[in-house]
Amino acid sequence: SLYGVPIISRRQVNYSTIDPALCRELFIRRALVEGDWRTRHQFWTRNEEVRAEAAALEERTRRRDILVDDETIFAFYDRHVPADVVSVAHFDRWWSSQRSETPGLFDLTLEDLIDNGAAGVERSDFPDHQRVTTATGQVDVPLAYVFDPGSGRDGVTATVDLTMINQLNGDPFSWQVPGLRVELATELIRSLPKGVRTQFVPAPDHARRALAWLSERGIGPDAMSLPEALATALRALTGQPADGFDLDKVPAHLRTTFEVVEDGRTQASGKDLAALATELRPRLTRSLSRAATHLTRSGATDWAFGTIPAEVELVRGGHTALGHPALVDEGAGVGLVVHDDPVRAVQAGRGGLRRLVMINTPDPTKWVVGHVNNTDKFTLAASPYPRVPALLADARLASVGSLIMVASTEVRDAATFTALCDTVRQDNAERMRDIVVLAAEAIRIHQQVKDQIPRISQASDAVGDLTEQVDNLVFDGFLAATPYEYLTELPRYLRAALVRAETLAVTPAKDLLGAETVYEVEDAYAELCQELPAGPLPDEVAAVGWMIEELRVSLFAQRLGARGPISRKRIMNALAGARSLVA
């Protein structure tokens, strides 16, 4: 200004010459504490990594009192920054000469950033990965932590590559990370039915004692699931059973979330690893088959597969995946695909082998037709199949399949396949004729039951049950779909249904007691089937369905005789066993 008149206004000046103490404080607070600067100093990069690690520890421990406040960090830098360093430029000049003498002067440690009140927090209790044992060795499954109650990602998330999902068991993850294990065990105890829960009060004390007992005996995630282990420990410590843990009552953040990825992209996520494996099974099979192009085939009409290994290890996405090659029925030909599960591979392989053997053995259909009486031929025309040739083709497929089962030969090479074809060829014509005769008998009785149903009161639940039963026994494709050992029993099952229908038409009250038992076991069986993935039922589950047919015979047509002892209790036990096998 000149004589009080502004000559130049709003010119910026270096404030450090006016108030250097304030400038120094602003530099430390804005740059070093809040990070509002651009720098290439190595100590700053290291400190940012440490601060990120400390912030992650808060997420892992689900606490907001872990980190020190900004004033503590300010005090750290204030102790080391000289009084005459009041700006970025000052600091850069000073540090360029000072760092060679004290290179670690500004290095923050995790201990510097953790509040004294957070003592006892162990970084190792919240690991970056969980090591699990698979069929191909040990695998480190990455773990991520989010502290965001109410969100779908709150808690611990395990990232599982799609190629590994068929090798992982959910039991090790049920233990949670060590830092959350006591809380999880506590909540499991609190989830027990009230009558049981009162035996374990206070829950936190019993949880700690039980986990200590398990640790002393070396029982951990590789041995069994946490609910199983916890029940064992509580019984050992108190003599009281701890049955009935309800996972649905456990807070969501204490149950591991599984995120399944393929090529870095999320395919599915959820709390139930087994359910995710079932959901993603088709995708995994396709992925494994793409990785095994040296093995897979399609449209084969003879043995073009070399020697098929029982299992293969495939490197996919940096992981060692385990696959199970097997033949698959493609209708006009046979393919070879790599399945994710050995049981599924066996089931698919049966159909594929049956088709390939049928293609490579003489067609006995003309001989069979010539050796079936006219009555049976006429009956075949009334079958659920669209045309008689379709029924005959299905009977041929069923015949080949039954003879393969009799041979009980594992086929993995051309020589064994040729020998099997020779074995099937010898008896195929007569076996196919027997199946066609069985089909005619089953179709006749099936129609008799259908004719009898209108005589039953339509208000009766038995009408729907009977209709569903016989239509599940005789349908388009039933010959090849029914194992031969049960195919021979179809006439008896259908006669039992006919006896029941005739009884219902005259004295429906006689049906009530047996019907209640059948409905109970059918509901339990249907519940189990609904839990399974689409496709053929596992052998253990399918066998229960045939047990129910035997129960029907024993309840509604005792004079026909059941095959072996049968009861509601036996079926319920078989259902429990099948559920444990397919879990």
Side-chain angles (χ1 to χ4, degrees), residues 242-498:
D243 300 323
F245 294 120
D246 188 349
L247 287 175
D248 291 335
K249 293 182 180 180
V250 174
H253 74 272
L254 293 175
R255 297 177 59 197
T256 301
T257 298
F258 300 96
E259 183 178 39
V260 185
V261 300
E262 182 182 24
D263 298 329
R265 294 188 296 273
T266 299
Q267 302 301 322
S269 62
K271 301 288 186 183
D272 190 333
L273 184 62
L276 289 173
T278 298
E279 175 188 345
L280 296 171
R281 177 168 287 156
R283 182 183 291 274
L284 176 55
T285 294
R286 291 194 297 270
S287 179
L288 292 172
S289 295
R290 286 197 302 269
T293 53
H294 61 291
L295 286 175
T296 55
R297 298 285 187 277
S298 181
T301 55
D302 57 13
W303 192 270
F305 313 105
T307 299
I308 302 175
E311 63 182 32
V312 291
E313 293 186 4
L314 306 166
V315 178
R316 179 83 174 157
H319 298 275
T320 301
L322 191 64
H324 306 273
L327 301 178
V328 60
D329 187 353
E330 296 178 340
V334 173
L336 178 67
V337 301
V338 180
H339 295 269
D340 68 302
D341 178 74
V343 175
R344 299 277 293 185
V346 168
Q347 289 180 320
R350 290 173 186 165
L353 181 61
R354 180 176 65 176
R355 177 69 64 181
L356 196 60
V357 170
M358 189 187 80
I359 293 173
N360 287 271
T361 52
D363 184 356
T365 301
K366 287 185 179 180
W367 183 90
V368 169
V369 172
H371 288 76
V372 174
N373 64 50
N374 290 332
T375 300
D376 285 347
K377 290 178 184 177
F378 180 77
T379 301
L380 297 179
S383 79
Y385 289 82
R387 295 182 302 112
V388 172
L391 181 148
L392 294 171
D394 202 43
R396 182 186 172 198
L397 194 61
S399 173
V400 170
S402 70
L403 293 172
I404 289 174
M405 294 300 291
V406 170
S408 187
T409 302
E410 184 178 26
V411 179
R412 295 195 174 275
D413 56 47
T416 310
F417 174 73
T418 300
L420 178 62
C421 289
D422 292 340
T423 300
V424 169
R425 183 182 295 111
Q426 297 174 13
D427 300 317
N428 197 22
E430 292 184 1
R431 175 59 61 88
M432 179 178 170
R433 180 192 58 190
D434 293 344
I435 289 175
V436 170
V437 172
L438 273 171
E441 186 179 7
I443 292 165
R444 274 194 296 272
I445 306 172
H446 176 264
Q447 189 57 53
Q448 291 171 11
V449 177
K450 301 285 271 201
D451 292 342
Q452 190 71 28
I453 286 177
R455 297 181 55 200
I456 306 170
S457 170
Q458 296 303 301
S460 172
D461 292 338
V463 171
D465 182 56
L466 265 173
T467 301
E468 183 179 8
Q469 178 200 1
V470 297
D471 286 348
N472 283 337
L473 294 174
V474 179
F475 53 89
D476 181 5
F478 79 97
L479 294 175
T482 306
Y484 185 72
E485 63 174 312
Y486 297 112
L487 193 61
T488 58
E489 304 295 338
L490 279 191
R492 183 167 56 90
Y493 296 152
L494 290 163
R495 285 194 187 94
L498 181 59

Side-chain angles (χ1 to χ4, degrees), residues 76-407:
F76 170 82
Y77 285 116
D78 186 40
R79 289 194 300 270
H80 301 302
V81 175
D84 58 346
V85 172
V86 297
S87 69
V88 172
H90 284 90
F91 182 84
D92 289 343
R93 285 195 299 270
W94 170 76
W95 184 241
S96 63
S97 59
Q98 182 66 29
R99 65 187 174 195
S100 60
E101 299 178 13
T102 55
L105 181 65
F106 291 109
D107 286 358
L108 287 167
T109 65
L110 197 58
E111 289 69 26
D112 293 326
L113 299 177
I114 294 179
D115 191 271
N116 291 332
V121 174
E122 295 291 340
R123 177 69 174 78
S124 59
D125 287 342
F126 301 90
D128 295 322
H129 64 269
Q130 181 162 345
R131 178 161 293 181
V132 294
T133 302
T134 70
T136 57
Q138 291 190 320
V139 176
D140 289 336
V141 178
L143 301 179
Y145 299 78
V146 173
F147 182 22
D148 188 10
S151 74
R153 296 185 61 83
D154 187 36
V156 181
T157 297
T159 302
V160 179
D161 193 272
L162 176 66
T163 58
M164 298 301 302
I165 196 169
N166 65 328
Q167 300 181 56
L168 295 181
N169 186 321
D171 288 353
F173 298 95
S174 70
W175 288 70
Q176 258 297 353
V177 296
L180 297 177
R181 194 167 294 161
V182 172
E183 184 182 356
L184 172 57
T186 301
E187 294 300 330
L188 282 170
I189 293 173
R190 288 172 175 164
S191 76
L192 289 167
K194 185 177 180 181
V196 180
R197 185 173 66 244
T198 54
Q199 304 296 320
F200 308 106
V201 177
D205 290 348
H206 280 84
R208 281 189 286 270
R209 288 179 58 207
L211 291 175
W213 185 89
L214 292 169
S215 178
E216 290 168 1
R217 286 154 182 79
I219 301 174
D222 290 332
M224 61 184 77
S225 70
L226 179 61
E228 291 177 286
L230 186 60
T232 300
L234 291 173
R235 178 184 281 273
L237 291 168
T238 67
Q240 300 294 327
D243 300 323
F245 294 120
D246 188 349
L247 287 175
D248 291 335
K249 293 182 180 180
V250 174
H253 74 272
L254 293 175
R255 297 177 59 197
T256 301
T257 298
F258 300 96
E259 183 178 39
V260 185
V261 300
E262 182 182 24
D263 298 329
R265 294 188 296 273
T266 299
Q267 302 301 322
S269 62
K271 301 288 186 183
D272 190 333
L273 184 62
L276 289 173
T278 298
E279 175 188 345
L280 296 171
R281 177 168 287 156
R283 182 183 291 274
L284 176 55
T285 294
R286 291 194 297 270
S287 179
L288 292 172
S289 295
R290 286 197 302 269
T293 53
H294 61 291
L295 286 175
T296 55
R297 298 285 187 277
S298 181
T301 55
D302 57 13
W303 192 270
F305 313 105
T307 299
I308 302 175
E311 63 182 32
V312 291
E313 293 186 4
L314 306 166
V315 178
R316 179 83 174 157
H319 298 275
T320 301
L322 191 64
H324 306 273
L327 301 178
V328 60
D329 187 353
E330 296 178 340
V334 173
L336 178 67
V337 301
V338 180
H339 295 269
D340 68 302
D341 178 74
V343 175
R344 299 277 293 185
V346 168
Q347 289 180 320
R350 290 173 186 165
L353 181 61
R354 180 176 65 176
R355 177 69 64 181
L356 196 60
V357 170
M358 189 187 80
I359 293 173
N360 287 271
T361 52
D363 184 356
T365 301
K366 287 185 179 180
W367 183 90
V368 169
V369 172
H371 288 76
V372 174
N373 64 50
N374 290 332
T375 300
D376 285 347
K377 290 178 184 177
F378 180 77
T379 301
L380 297 179
S383 79
Y385 289 82
R387 295 182 302 112
V388 172
L391 181 148
L392 294 171
D394 202 43
R396 182 186 172 198
L397 194 61
S399 173
V400 170
S402 70
L403 293 172
I404 289 174
M405 294 300 291
V406 170

